[in-house]
Amino acid sequence: MGYKVAVVGATGNVGREMLDILAERAFPADEVVALASRRSQGQEVSFGDKILKVKALDTHDFSDTDICLMSAGGETSKEWSPRIGEQGCVVIDNSSAFRYDSDVPLIVPEVNADAIVGFTKRNIIANPNCSTAQLVVALKPLHEAATIKRVVVSTYQSVSGAGKDAMDELFNQTRAVFTAGEVKQGKFTKRIAFNVIPHIDVFMEDGYTKEEWKMVAETKKMLDPKIKLTATAVRVPVFIGHAEAVNVEFERPLSPEQATEILRAAPGVLVIDKRENGGYMTPHEAAGEDATYISRIREDATIENGLNFWCVSDNLRKGAALNTIQIAEVLINRKLLNRAKQAA
């Protein structure tokens, strides 16, 4: 049986990636509909070897649609996801709108696929923040082996996490630096070309940014509320691919060799860790790949039961579009979609 799938935000970075991945993975869809705001109506987007004409979200009837992949931003999702869910269509939302709602499961399939059954309360499933998704894929098997007490993570996040305009800004600023032109700022608070910015999302009262808070809240919701986590999120002049330097303290001993074997066997993870020049992964190499790559696994001798590692992933894929489609695949493989229609 084929399914009808709608992609909302089909003209954006993540929406286009969703369409590419649906085609790549031969998702069992009889029909795929590309949706966006009225100003994008009539634009064309690629879906495998087909071209789809973008239709307007506000005139689409979701009553005969099985799955809606939502990638149109938090405000749009807050308005539309509940309305779409009420029509019996399951929304898999890529924004932060419902991640912290107790009636909405927050899912990374390699980490907490069983929690997906809670979607019937609202017919909405949340996709985590891009930086959290790759982190919990790496932490989950280690937590099962030795129980994580505390995590300290510093992120090196690409500009694509802030959208197409941010990618254009990096490109234009870089060109301006080389041609002695005017370096114009728009999307970012400081120049991003040949620079790093320790500020992603808005500042909160405690001095952390919302991006850093998201990593804490989402890790606790998906993995274990007892885990203590602190983060520093940094934007770097890279187009695609987030990297993270991760320090973990465990309750029980776990050697670098044991951690390496555990991670090699973990779903969604590839270990590239040779202690030699170039024996590690970088965002450039991870772009376009599905895996979460782990490198630089080593002991932290300054604490008891401590490890460090380097974690890299394509933020548009595992951090967003791929994870969303993997969630849809779980719905289908576990035969859960008929529950959505019944709940509606």
Side-chain angles (χ1 to χ4, degrees):
M1 175 185 172
Y3 299 89
K4 183 172 180 180
V5 177
V7 177
V8 178
T11 58
N13 279 348
V14 175
R16 291 175 185 271
E17 199 76 31
M18 285 175 175
L19 290 168
D20 287 345
I21 294 171
L22 284 169
E24 282 174 22
R25 294 171 76 90
F27 189 87
D30 284 342
E31 184 180 355
V32 174
V33 182
L35 302 173
S37 63
R38 288 200 176 200
R39 68 177 179 274
S40 298
Q41 189 172 355
Q43 283 189 34
E44 294 183 340
V45 291
S46 298
F47 170 58
D49 56 3
K50 300 177 184 174
I51 299 294
L52 305 180
K53 284 218 170 191
V54 175
K55 299 177 181 179
L57 166 63
D58 59 5
T59 58
H60 184 71
D61 178 9
F62 285 91
S63 62
D64 66 343
T65 304
D66 298 293
I67 299 171
C68 172
L69 308 180
M70 175 71 69
S71 184
E75 291 307 310
T76 300
S77 182
K78 283 177 188 174
E79 178 184 356
W80 282 95
S81 292
R83 291 158 65 175
I84 295 168
E86 286 169 3
Q87 295 182 59
C89 176
V90 181
V91 179
I92 305 173
D93 180 34
N94 197 55
S95 80
S96 61
F98 298 97
R99 288 175 187 157
Y100 318 108
D101 188 321
S102 59
D103 289 337
V104 174
L106 179 67
I107 300 294
V108 171
E110 297 94 334
V111 174
N112 65 334
D114 289 346
I116 201 170
V117 294
F119 81 92
T120 54
K121 292 177 182 175
R122 302 191 68 179
N123 275 349
I124 301 171
I125 302 166
N127 200 54
N129 189 42
C130 48
S131 52
T132 310
Q134 67 188 72
L135 178 66
V136 294
V137 167
L139 293 181
K140 167 73 170 179
L142 299 176
H143 184 53
E144 288 182 339
T147 309
I148 294 170
K149 291 172 61 177
R150 180 172 183 259
V151 179
V152 181
V153 57
S154 298
T155 73
Y156 305 77
Q157 294 178 230
S158 66
V159 295
S160 57
K164 184 180 180 302
D165 290 345
M167 297 176 77
D168 290 342
E169 186 164 324
L170 172 58
F171 178 84
N172 291 330
Q173 285 186 2
T174 303
R175 184 170 57 185
V177 169
F178 279 115
T179 60
E182 182 184 358
V183 177
K184 296 180 180 178
Q185 287 171 217
K187 192 76 177 177
F188 298 111
T189 55
K190 301 234 178 188
R191 178 179 123 174
I192 186 62
F194 303 97
N195 198 17
V196 298
I197 304 172
H199 173 197
I200 301 177
D201 212 326
V202 298
F203 275 96
M204 303 175 73
E205 286 186 6
D206 61 2
Y208 284 85
T209 64
K210 189 76 177 287
E211 184 81 2
E212 293 156 354
W213 176 85
K214 288 173 189 173
M215 295 189 76
V216 176
E218 293 170 16
T219 300
K220 286 176 176 291
K221 182 172 179 177
M222 288 187 289
L223 198 53
D224 189 336
K226 294 178 185 175
I227 291 175
K228 295 178 180 179
L229 188 146
T230 185
T232 301
V234 182
R235 192 72 74 186
V236 297
V238 170
F239 283 109
I240 295 172
H242 289 355
E244 297 169 352
V246 186
N247 174 266
V248 188
E249 182 182 357
F250 298 93
E251 288 188 3
R252 299 184 295 278
L254 188 69
S255 71
E257 293 75 21
Q258 289 171 320
T260 298
E261 289 308 306
I262 289 164
L263 289 167
R264 285 194 193 281
V269 173
L270 279 177
V271 176
I272 307 292
D273 191 12
K274 297 178 181 177
R275 296 177 178 180
E276 60 186 42
N277 292 345
Y280 41 79
M281 283 296 285
T282 65
H284 172 70
E285 296 153 298
E289 300 294 326
D290 290 346
T292 294
Y293 292 92
I294 307 298
S295 306
R296 303 289 322 279
I297 303 166
R298 62 207 189 277
E299 181 187 2
D300 175 6
T302 67
I303 55 172
E304 191 174 359
N305 305 331
L307 281 180
N308 290 305
F309 63 87
W310 176 249
C311 175
V312 181
S313 191
D314 183 328
N315 57 294
L316 297 180
R317 292 179 77 89
K318 186 55 191 169
L322 173 64
N323 197 70
T324 304
I325 289 158
Q326 287 177 311
I327 293 170
E329 290 171 346
V330 173
L331 283 174
I332 290 168
N333 293 339
R334 299 193 179 195
K335 299 179 171 56
L336 295 172
L337 281 179
N338 59 338
R339 292 194 198 178
K341 298 297 181 186
Q342 291 165 6

